[in-house]
Amino acid sequence: MRARWGWALSVLGVLLTILGIAVMAVLGPDSRFSTGPHLIETDDTAVVTTPRVIRWADVQVDVLAEVPVRKPVFVGLANSVDVRDYVRRTKRLEITDFQRPWTISTRAVKGNPNLPGAPTALDWWIESSAGLGGASISTQLPDQTVSLAILSVGSSNLSGLQVTVAYGVKGGFAKGAALLLLGLGVAWLGILVRRNGPEDDDEDDPQDGEVVEEVVYVYVDDDGIEHEISAEEAQGLEIVEEDEEPVPSAGPEPEPGPDPEPAPAPERTGPAPAPRPVAAAQVLYVYVDEDGVEHEVSEDELAEFEIVDEEEDA
């Protein structure tokens, strides 16, 4: 079990590490991601985004619009209602869908070839810029529905338009570095869990061919019959080891009675057993010389000596 948890942590750590590296590589040290320039094929006077195409808030966005031969161009960001009212009768190209980093869906809308007035004279733009051959804005998207408009100024059009977009994530590079460190820590934790895991698994799980010892609780009733019981049932009983004699249960001592009569000896049948041989006593003969030294002599040598009793004087 611990080994599986270790592998899971290691895989999660690797994924977090890869994600952190990707965020750092995409955003870079300045926490910005750029895409473009992208060609938008149109010869209309205006290119605008429809409401709800820009769905983010608190994101730093840079937009650069470039046109050839130094034609005048205008880039502005404003509330979607104001932009729609401004270009509703103008021939235009609408961007109906946008997927990052750069995937767009467009539709052409017929109308007048010219704008109703100079865009630089309007004061409801949140951010705007105009220039010859190109214009750019850098702004943080507000918490409201906004639209982006790229407009030609005067009698020119937007043929040959190229757009470059940069996205900025506040603290994005630091967040990627944090993901990287977190992933490395989780991966290292997984390695430690796997390293300590097999020992615990070997202790807990029996190996192939290993005999697992089981504890069996046996209860012996008054008739000497054994009954196998569970561990829970054994807790309420007195456990007696096999090598120990069972302890008699405490109870009232029996009253003393008359001594029992000795049982009569059993009658012997058959021939009496033969008597056991008795070892003969050995006689020791001692000769005492003139110096009072005792010498052991045999019965044959005794005939040459005079026998004197201990009570008589020599």
Side-chain angles (χ1 to χ4, degrees):
M1 178 62 72
R2 183 172 294 184
R4 290 195 293 269
W5 277 108
W7 279 111
L9 289 174
S10 298
V11 172
L12 178 60
V14 171
L15 294 178
L16 290 176
T17 302
I18 295 175
L19 180 60
I21 293 174
V23 171
M24 296 173 63
V26 170
L27 296 180
D30 58 351
S31 299
R32 300 178 70 81
F33 171 71
S34 298
T35 176
H38 300 282
L39 177 64
I40 298 179
E41 298 181 356
T42 181
D43 56 358
D44 296 336
T45 304
V47 175
V48 297
T49 60
T50 59
R52 300 296 180 181
V53 170
I54 301 177
R55 299 181 297 270
W56 326 293
D58 298 329
V59 176
Q60 186 71 26
V61 175
D62 297 345
V63 180
L64 171 63
E66 297 176 296
V67 290
V69 296
R70 294 182 60 83
K71 293 187 294 184
V73 63
F74 175 90
V75 178
L77 183 72
N79 189 282
S80 297
V81 176
D82 296 331
V83 174
R84 184 177 55 188
D85 290 343
Y86 177 65
V87 298
R88 62 181 178 177
R89 296 179 180 175
T90 303
K91 184 181 180 182
R92 63 191 181 273
L93 181 69
E94 292 185 347
I95 298 176
T96 58
D97 185 61
F98 176 82
Q99 300 293 332
R100 289 175 291 180
W102 183 266
T103 302
I104 61 174
S105 300
T106 61
R107 69 181 178 186
V109 179
K110 296 180 180 181
N112 298 328
N114 298 321
L115 295 170
T120 55
L122 304 175
D123 59 355
W124 39 258
W125 297 106
I126 298 174
E127 189 71 29
S128 62
S129 175
L132 296 176
S136 65
I137 60 172
S138 179
T139 184
Q140 187 173 0
L141 296 177
D143 190 11
Q144 58 178 294
T145 304
V146 294
S147 295
L148 178 70
I150 302 176
L151 310 172
S152 64
V153 180
S155 59
S156 62
N157 56 33
L158 296 177
S159 59
L161 174 65
Q162 291 185 337
V163 178
T164 301
V165 181
Y167 311 96
V169 179
K170 187 177 181 179
F173 188 81
K175 293 177 181 178
L179 283 175
L180 172 62
L181 296 178
L182 178 62
L184 293 176
V186 173
W188 177 248
L189 178 62
I191 293 175
L192 292 179
V193 171
R194 293 202 318 272
R195 184 175 299 174
N196 298 330
E199 296 180 0
D200 297 338
D201 294 343
D202 292 342
E203 295 177 359
D204 298 337
D205 300 336
Q207 300 293 334
D208 295 340
E210 182 179 355
V211 179
V212 181
E213 296 182 356
E214 295 183 359
V215 179
V216 179
Y217 297 91
V218 178
Y219 162 67
V220 181
D221 57 14
D222 297 336
D223 299 331
I225 300 176
E226 297 182 352
H227 304 274
E228 184 175 345
I229 60 176
S230 63
E232 290 77 7
E233 296 174 343
Q235 293 179 357
L237 301 177
E238 181 181 1
I239 299 177
V240 179
E241 300 292 340
E242 293 181 358
D243 297 335
E244 298 179 359
E245 296 181 355
V247 179
S249 60
E253 296 182 357
E255 297 181 359
D259 295 337
E261 296 181 358
E267 297 180 357
R268 184 183 302 276
T269 59
R276 297 181 180 178
V278 179
Q282 296 181 358
V283 180
L284 181 63
Y285 299 95
V286 178
Y287 160 65
V288 181
D289 61 11
E290 296 177 354
D291 297 328
V293 180
E294 296 181 351
H295 302 275
E296 183 180 350
V297 296
S298 63
E299 187 175 359
D300 297 336
E301 295 175 343
L302 183 62
E304 300 176 2
F305 294 92
E306 180 182 3
I307 300 176
V308 180
D309 295 331
E310 293 182 358
E311 295 180 357
E312 298 179 359
D313 295 333

